[in-house]
Amino acid sequence: MQKEIPYKIYLDETELPREWLNLRAFMHEKPAPLLHPQTRRPMTKDELAEIFCDELAKQEADDTSPFIPIPQAVRDFYKMYRPAPLIRAYCLEKELNTPAKIYYKFEGNNTSGSHKLNSAIPQAYYAKAQGLKGVTTETGAGQWGTALAMACAYFKLDCKVFMVKVSYEQKPFRREVMRTYGATVTPSPSVTTAVGREILDRFPGTGGSLGCAISEAVETARSLDGYRYELGSVLNQVLLHQSVIGLESKTALDKYGEKADIIIGCAGGGSNLGGLIAPFMAQQLEGKAKYRFIAVEPASCPTLTRGKYAYDYCDTGKVCPLSKMYTLGSGFIPSASHAGGLRYHGLTSTLSALYNQGLMEARAVKQTEVFSAAEYFARVEGILPAPESAHAIRVAIDEALECKRTGERKTILFGLTGTGYFDMYAYEKFHDGKMQDFSPTDEELKASLAQLPKL
Amino acid sequence: MQKEIPYKIYLDETELPREWLNLRAFMHEKPAPLLHPQTRRPMTKDELAEIFCDELAKQEADDTSPFIPIPQAVRDFYKMYRPAPLIRAYCLEKELNTPAKIYYKFEGNNTSGSHKLNSAIPQAYYAKAQGLKGVTTETGAGQWGTALAMACAYFKLDCKVFMVKVSYEQKPFRREVMRTYGATVTPSPSVTTAVGREILDRFPGTGGSLGCAISEAVETARSLDGYRYELGSVLNQVLLHQSVIGLESKTALDKYGEKADIIIGCAGGGSNLGGLIAPFMAQQLEGKAKYRFIAVEPASCPTLTRGKYAYDYCDTGKVCPLSKMYTLGSGFIPSASHAGGLRYHGLTSTLSALYNQGLMEARAVKQTEVFSAAEYFARVEGILPAPESAHAIRVAIDEALECKRTGERKTILFGLTGTGYFDMYAYEKFHDGKMQDFSPTDEELKASLAQLPKL
């Protein structure tokens, strides 16, 4: 007989994963390698190590080790907020009156407010282990910056965050959380870097972009002795660390004899989605199981559904390596959307390759429909979701309603990446009926994609 | 051999308490009864039922039942965020280099951001069970208002919140969370009530106070058919519901063979402290164990350390019953302090009686010292605390440092009532060195206490 499933499945600390799962090692067709922005040749480990810590450069290049041990110090920090609960959405199922079973992995129960901490900790740890003085990074919505600030405080490393100026101004409280953790927060573009000054010259009064903040952070790390750059998404190393999300989810489901039919995650750079699906996709690639994977993106930044699979720059300043990925062009400026974490022009090469190989579906959703799902979910399940996470909620609800129509008792798993406590400005717009839906015109996309680098 | 203690002790859902513990039933000298504001005679159950739901009026008056069953619907909602973790502060102990063992019960892992939800749920449930249309309440810092809005959304009840105007303006995001849960939020004093209009006439441009918002909420509930008033602290019924905090803490400690020596909580109205200490104090009153209990209050609102034990009004408008408690006078206006939840002139009659009987200690702490403890704790333990909760952290750290001095290996338990995500304005002031310490002068207190009602 099946065990009764609690509202929240908490694993023991002893069940915390001891190894990360490296999804690339399971792929029959590997994602294309990063290219050097000048030479256009695959980045060597030494070239990567000029930007990233040595160990992270190694992880970035490793597409053969299926599992990589999690250092003890990282596991100890993980224990402060992990294992994260896998929640059975009993209340949501009842309200929707669906035969579907809905589970979500909740990553918001930590001060960074999202899953970003899972990668911030190892990244800070490896920097410390290498004897570095500090790290630089960029942040948009602020979740990654907060996470890295927390990790650096714990390991006593300096942390310099370039925060997209419009977020810096709209989210002063995010900034203060980072300051609480001792980080220096600079609005980007800034006059502290050549890239920043150039952009300010060309576009005075600009609110900045993630791509520009990345360029500034990389330039700063390169100019300082004992500093490296760290990034919260897009990279292989990040997906590797985020595999704890999927590993814990799978252990929890297995424990109760449950098997997901559909696995849903929001997709910006791909950190959460890549981590959530990792062990399930690995299983499928080994021919041991079959799942439907759905990547959900905002209609305002439709990387998978309307982008192109090609080599492109990861940043506006074109100082970072090129990555083969679905992209809208590194010059693409998404129209105002409140899911700051999903406003990135590309998607990590691993997920891009999987999508290109037909192993994953993608769906673009409108902002107002996302917030209506967010509010509904908050009332029914008691958790106020981040706008990013609410993209996954929207599609999970749609799939559950489809089950209601067909009478199928499917099991749906989605990633609830974080909480929306710092996004109330967006919720306010929604409540006041002032939120609008955006999507780029075909002409806009064509113009942006015409700028892709010619290789 | 003692079991290895994990970072976070999570009880199973089956270990969620089935009964609340009614501390008054264990007291040899009972707290004095509430008095009717006009007749000055003890409130009857019928009189209480004009303000509160029937079942809550009954609980308010009950000082003989040691345990009261938790309704199944309430337990089901509890399961969405409880049992709450009891956390072993390994990192804090290490950083302080103290021989003391430190535990904290963390109540912030829910969208209301605090322990307030523990009482909001039964209060909304009993209102629904009685067939009411809605409830009214007040909120200062916003934690209680958020909690009640969440509970009302779940049980599909209307919820009208009067929010102290200065908080309404300083914390627009708190207001938006309540709106997300469908509550109506009115800045207090407002023109919608006679009390509000009178106060606005006398003090145009006032930022309001908790005492005034209470009066407005009570008046509104009385003027509407099918509405009752609900309160998030001070009352016996609230302490009863909050006993889940202490009950879970005790079960978790017992499970690992641990016994607390010192139990510490912040004290505003007393809801968290009363709930945390309930089962431990009950044990002590039965002669079965001995603990040190410490109530921590802000130096700017020093109810226990500098107030008077006397009957006083619970609200500014004097429409609520009188309670015998430690009080600074219902007209006391605490100077600006960022721990909004602790800016109340009185303390629940139960804790007041225990303090008066010498069963509890009290300590007043300065705001800047509280924030310095808050920041230290955030960096070391990874959780950004609410300013209210940080009062308890301050004293827990002080006690742990005292253990370091004496070499004693004491076990300290404190209540971490909530998170500070909506308090970053205060943190910003602290970071910028603009935070000041306040405490009332002896003359101010004397003047305020001179206004106590003569019985």
Side-chain angles (χ1 to χ4, degrees), chain A residues 8 79 82 176 180, chain B residues 8 79 82 180 379 431:
Chain A
K8 301 176 304 307
K79 285 179 190 167
R82 305 200 70 81
E176 286 310 319
T180 302
Chain B
K8 302 175 305 304
K79 285 180 191 167
R82 304 200 72 81
T180 301
R379 292 186 187 185
H431 298 148

Side-chain angles (χ1 to χ4, degrees), chain A residues 4-11 13 76-83 85 87 91 94-95 106 108-113 150 153-154 156 170 172-183 374-375 377-384 419 421-422 424-425 427-429 431-432, chain B residues 4-11 13 76-83 85 87 91 94-95 106 108-113 150 153-154 156 170 172-183 374-375 377-384 419 421-422 424-425 427-429 431-432:
Chain A
E4 199 187 326
I5 297 165
Y7 280 63
K8 301 176 304 307
I9 307 177
Y10 274 110
L11 301 176
E13 277 168 24
D76 283 345
F77 193 144
Y78 277 170
K79 285 179 190 167
M80 286 165 69
Y81 71 101
R82 305 200 70 81
I87 304 181
C91 300
K94 197 175 147 201
E95 275 290 314
F106 181 42
N109 269 354
N110 70 75
T111 289
S112 82
M150 287 177 69
Y154 183 81
K156 301 190 167 51
Q170 276 183 4
F173 295 162
R174 268 281 175 207
R175 181 186 74 210
E176 286 310 319
V177 181
M178 290 184 254
R179 285 181 76 199
T180 302
Y181 285 93
E375 186 172 275
F377 182 83
R379 292 185 186 186
V380 171
E381 282 287 317
I383 297 175
L384 185 87
T419 51
Y421 307 141
F422 292 97
M424 296 319 297
Y425 177 70
Y427 274 92
E428 183 176 12
K429 273 201 149 178
H431 297 148
D432 292 343
Chain B
E4 199 187 324
I5 297 165
Y7 279 64
K8 302 175 305 304
I9 307 177
Y10 273 108
L11 301 176
E13 276 169 24
D76 282 345
F77 193 145
Y78 277 170
K79 285 180 191 167
M80 285 165 68
Y81 70 101
R82 304 200 72 81
I87 303 181
C91 299
K94 198 175 147 201
E95 275 292 314
F106 181 42
N109 269 353
N110 70 74
T111 289
S112 83
M150 286 177 68
Y154 183 80
K156 301 189 167 51
Q170 275 183 4
F173 295 162
R174 267 281 176 208
R175 182 186 74 209
E176 286 309 319
V177 181
M178 290 183 255
R179 285 182 75 199
T180 301
Y181 285 93
E375 186 171 277
F377 182 83
R379 292 186 187 185
V380 171
E381 282 287 318
I383 296 174
L384 184 87
T419 51
Y421 307 142
F422 292 97
M424 296 319 296
Y425 178 70
Y427 274 92
E428 183 177 13
K429 273 201 149 177
H431 298 148
D432 292 343

Side-chain angles (χ1 to χ4, degrees), chain A residues 45-46 48-58 122-135 155 157 225-230:
Chain A
K45 228 178 286 179
D46 287 347
L48 285 168
E50 287 171 22
I51 312 176
F52 307 116
C53 312
D54 296 349
E55 188 62 30
L56 293 168
K58 202 174 124 198
Q123 291 199 39
Y125 167 77
Y126 290 123
K128 187 71 181 183
Q130 193 177 326
L132 297 180
K133 292 180 203 157
V135 297
F155 289 114
L157 272 176
D225 197 39
Y227 277 73
R228 289 293 184 285
Y229 167 68
E230 307 208 314

Side-chain angles (χ1 to χ4, degrees), chain B residues 308-313 327-330 447-454:
Chain B
K308 206 171 153 180
Y309 189 46
Y311 265 108
D312 195 8
Y313 292 99
T327 177
L328 299 167
S330 67
S448 166
L449 288 168
Q451 305 299 316
L452 288 180
K454 315 271 177 287

Side-chain angles (χ1 to χ4, degrees), chain B residues 39-256:
Chain B
T39 67
R40 305 282 171 94
R41 278 198 299 257
M43 293 281 286
T44 64
K45 228 178 286 177
D46 287 345
E47 285 168 342
L48 284 167
E50 288 170 21
I51 311 176
F52 307 116
C53 313
D54 296 349
E55 188 61 31
L56 293 167
K58 201 174 125 195
Q59 292 180 356
E60 191 60 35
D62 183 346
D63 61 6
T64 54
S65 314
F67 296 95
I68 293 176
I70 305 176
Q72 188 54 46
V74 173
R75 290 188 82 235
D76 282 345
F77 193 145
Y78 277 170
K79 285 180 191 167
M80 285 165 68
Y81 70 101
R82 304 200 72 81
L86 180 73
I87 303 181
R88 173 73 184 270
Y90 281 120
C91 299
L92 181 62
E93 291 171 17
K94 198 175 147 201
E95 275 292 314
L96 292 173
N97 191 20
T98 173
K101 291 193 269 185
I102 309 174
Y103 288 92
Y104 55 97
K105 181 70 170 171
F106 181 42
E107 292 286 329
N109 269 353
N110 70 74
T111 289
S112 83
S114 82
H115 67 294
K116 294 289 182 184
L117 201 49
N118 302 334
S119 184
I121 300 165
Q123 292 199 40
Y125 167 76
Y126 289 124
K128 186 70 181 181
Q130 193 176 326
L132 297 181
K133 292 180 202 157
V135 298
T136 70
T137 197
E138 81 299 320
T139 199
Q143 293 170 332
W144 167 247
T146 311
L148 194 60
M150 286 177 68
C152 286
Y154 183 80
F155 289 114
K156 301 189 167 51
L157 272 175
D158 184 40
C159 181
K160 298 186 192 304
V161 181
F162 288 86
M163 186 171 187
V164 177
K165 193 186 268 173
V166 58
S167 296
Y168 182 90
E169 284 160 2
Q170 275 183 4
K171 295 187 164 187
F173 295 162
R174 267 281 176 208
R175 182 186 74 209
E176 286 309 319
V177 181
M178 290 183 255
R179 285 182 75 199
T180 301
Y181 285 93
T184 315
V185 189
T186 307
S188 165
S190 76
V191 294
T192 67
T193 65
V195 176
R197 287 189 295 270
E198 194 196 313
I199 291 177
L200 284 172
D201 273 352
R202 280 170 52 204
F203 309 102
T206 173
S209 73
L210 213 46
C212 164
I214 293 176
S215 304
E216 286 203 86
V218 172
E219 183 185 323
T220 303
R222 284 194 157 141
S223 71
L224 293 171
D225 197 39
Y227 278 73
R228 288 294 184 284
Y229 167 69
E230 308 209 313
L231 179 61
S233 191
V234 184
L235 298 172
N236 292 316
Q237 57 189 266
V238 177
L239 262 71
L240 175 73
H241 306 148
Q242 294 295 355
S243 66
V244 291
I245 303 174
L247 289 165
E248 286 183 9
S249 301
K250 191 161 179 310
T251 303
L253 288 171
D254 287 351
K255 220 168 166 169
Y256 288 88

Side-chain angles (χ1 to χ4, degrees), chain A residues 150-167:
Chain A
M150 287 177 69
C152 285
Y154 183 81
F155 289 114
K156 301 190 167 51
L157 272 176
D158 184 39
C159 180
K160 297 186 193 303
V161 181
F162 288 86
M163 186 171 186
V164 177
K165 193 185 269 174
V166 58
S167 296

